[in-house]
Amino acid sequence: MNKAALKERIREAIDQRRQELIDISLELHRNPELSFQETKASALLSGFLEKNGFTVERGICGLPTAFRGTYGSGKPSIAILAEYDALPQVGHACGHNVIAAAAVGAGIAGRLAVDKYGGSVVVMGTPGEEGGGGKIIMVEQGAFKDLDCAMMVHPSRRDSAMTEALAAIGIKVEFFGKAAHAASDPEAGINALEALILSFNNINSLRQHIGEKARIHGIIKDGGAAPNIVPDYSCGVFLVRAPNMNYLENLKTRVLDCFTGAALATGARLEYSWNERLYASMKNSLTLAHLFSANMEAIGRKIDPSLPRLGMGSTDMGNVSQVVPSIHGWVAIAPSHVSEHTPEFAKAAASEAGHKGLIDGAKAMAMTVADLFAEPELFTKLRWEHANRSD
């Protein structure tokens, strides 16, 4: 059986399991679970893999809802990543139910390539993507060190083989002032809320003089108790993003100056803490992207050849891409005017378009697995490319 025939069998295998995969997707969609609380999702996905011949390790890397399902043994070893956490209030408005179903579908179909060529396919369950940085923890724990490459596919408004993900880090800031009656004794107070508002104004001024792709945004978590009391405490949470980690380090210093300046101006005391987990920028594997693109087009998807700005954000897949050749593909399930993280996108993730996206995404990833196993020299190319890309 040649590679073309193997790919046809892979497509047929996924079509035969179409309803099973859709049922998994819908079950996750009906039962959204927040970051690191995905007990039902993790059990459903890992159990499905186990029933289909995978050896499953649960609770890996000290994360109760993370898992590793392996079929085959030894090298080469290709990982397909599943995300399955949801968002507060809007559930699966990022379509992680589609990601998870596509991942297990691709893994099970990828068994055909393992049976023919040897090696192993790993379906990695990665919890807590939505702000929790689950993959960052897993990278630090060495979960990806023995893999030759990794891939995933994310529902979107476009079909693409690559993503432009920004490096990102969060910061919590607190200002401590002095309470006073806002009308009868304002001169006795130190206004912590004014310090936070001034910080926002400082950041707005900074935005004029930072790189085009950099982002700074935040919210006020606590701004006082009553309008007639000078607030003695305020708290804000901000995200700082940049196209690469070097620029992020530079931007962190400039952002911190915005807060320290506000503290000096108002007399409030500043305390701050940067998040422990830094989201890395995405280091796209061009070789993997080319293979994935060709397979998406073979099943009727038109790939955008550019690296579009649409949907640019941050993902812990960027951290994976820094240690192993990786792609974070996109599959369209909604029209261009429907933004992710909205109720409209959550609806799309359980629609016929969402079902087609998960099936096509599973096929394209499994077919890419077949390409890699059929041409083992590609792994040398992947390693060289990864070592010589600086992003």
Side-chain angles (χ1 to χ4, degrees):
M1 180 173 57
N2 60 26
K3 186 174 72 171
L6 174 60
K7 285 187 176 184
E8 181 59 32
R9 284 193 60 194
I10 282 172
R11 291 194 293 268
E12 291 172 354
I14 291 173
D15 283 334
Q16 288 168 2
R17 291 182 175 271
R18 174 184 172 85
Q19 194 56 53
E20 285 182 274
L21 297 174
I22 290 172
D23 288 345
I24 288 172
S25 176
L26 291 176
E27 181 66 15
L28 298 180
H29 195 275
R30 284 190 294 267
N31 297 280
E33 298 169 299
L34 301 182
S35 293
F36 303 120
Q37 299 174 32
E38 317 95 326
T39 54
K40 293 179 182 177
S42 179
L44 176 64
L45 297 166
S46 60
F48 184 70
L49 291 169
E50 206 163 43
K51 290 176 183 176
N52 284 277
F54 281 71
T55 300
V56 176
E57 304 166 76
R58 296 175 173 85
I60 63 172
C61 301
L63 300 174
T65 55
F67 64 84
R68 180 192 292 109
T70 304
Y71 183 84
S73 61
K75 295 280 194 172
S77 183
I78 300 172
I80 302 168
L81 274 55
E83 296 174 358
Y84 34 88
D85 58 329
L87 290 157
Q89 299 181 359
V90 287
H92 278 292
C94 203
H96 289 192
N97 58 304
V98 173
I99 297 174
V104 296
I108 289 170
R111 296 178 306 175
L112 295 169
V114 173
D115 291 342
K116 179 173 175 58
Y117 297 109
S120 55
V121 169
V122 178
V123 178
M124 195 82 75
T126 63
E129 191 276 334
E130 294 292 355
K135 295 185 196 65
I136 302 173
I137 299 169
M138 296 175 76
V139 167
E140 293 170 349
Q141 293 292 318
F144 301 92
K145 65 181 181 180
D146 295 325
L147 298 171
D148 291 293
C149 64
M151 67 184 83
M152 63 172 288
V153 66
H154 197 298
S156 179
R157 297 168 281 171
R158 70 190 188 279
D159 295 317
S160 179
M162 297 190 292
T163 187
E164 187 173 12
L166 300 174
I169 192 167
I171 182 173
K172 176 184 178 181
V173 296
E174 297 174 288
F175 288 101
F176 297 86
K178 182 180 179 183
H181 195 290
S184 65
D185 203 21
E187 66 275 14
I190 296 175
N191 198 314
L193 177 59
E194 288 291 349
L196 189 52
I197 291 171
L198 188 55
S199 298
F200 273 93
N201 291 333
N202 292 343
I203 287 170
N204 286 337
S205 297
L206 175 62
R207 282 196 184 102
Q208 301 175 58
H209 307 290
I210 62 177
E212 178 189 6
K213 296 178 181 178
R215 302 285 187 271
I216 312 165
H217 38 97
I219 60 170
I220 296 175
K221 298 282 286 185
D222 192 325
N228 62 345
I229 303 172
V230 174
D232 63 351
Y233 175 77
S234 66
C235 175
V237 178
F238 295 78
L239 279 172
V240 184
R241 306 183 198 247
N244 57 64
M245 288 178 283
N246 287 335
Y247 189 50
L248 182 65
E249 285 300 315
N250 173 273
L251 196 54
K252 283 173 61 180
T253 300
R254 299 175 72 186
V255 168
L256 187 56
D257 286 344
C258 293
F259 301 121
T260 56
L264 286 170
T266 59
R269 177 171 57 87
L270 168 67
E271 292 188 7
Y272 67 91
S273 58
W274 292 101
N275 286 0
E276 293 181 7
R277 299 178 193 128
L278 186 154
Y279 281 66
S281 53
M282 187 72 195
K283 188 174 184 178
N284 291 285
S285 169
L286 300 184
T287 298
L288 274 179
H290 174 76
L291 295 172
F292 181 82
S293 294
N295 288 317
M296 285 280 275
E297 290 179 352
I299 58 177
R301 295 263 176 177
K302 185 172 176 59
I303 289 289
D304 186 339
S306 67
L307 196 59
R309 292 277 305 278
L310 179 66
M312 183 172 63
S314 304
T315 171
D316 54 9
M317 188 65 183
N319 298 74
V320 176
S321 76
Q322 296 296 325
V323 298
V324 64
S326 304
I327 56 168
H328 180 292
W330 300 95
V331 59
I333 69 165
S336 60
H337 67 273
V338 175
S339 176
E340 294 170 25
H341 290 205
T342 63
E344 292 79 15
F345 200 85
K347 184 177 180 180
S351 69
E352 284 302 318
H355 302 337
K356 180 170 173 51
L358 88 83
I359 296 300
D360 287 351
K363 287 179 179 178
M365 287 192 292
M367 291 162 68
T368 302
V369 169
D371 285 322
L372 292 164
F373 281 133
E375 301 176 58
E377 64 274 13
L378 287 171
F379 290 102
T380 301
K381 187 177 181 180
L382 288 176
R383 286 189 292 270
W384 182 91
E385 179 185 84
H386 190 263
N388 289 277
R389 284 182 65 91
S390 59
D391 50 349

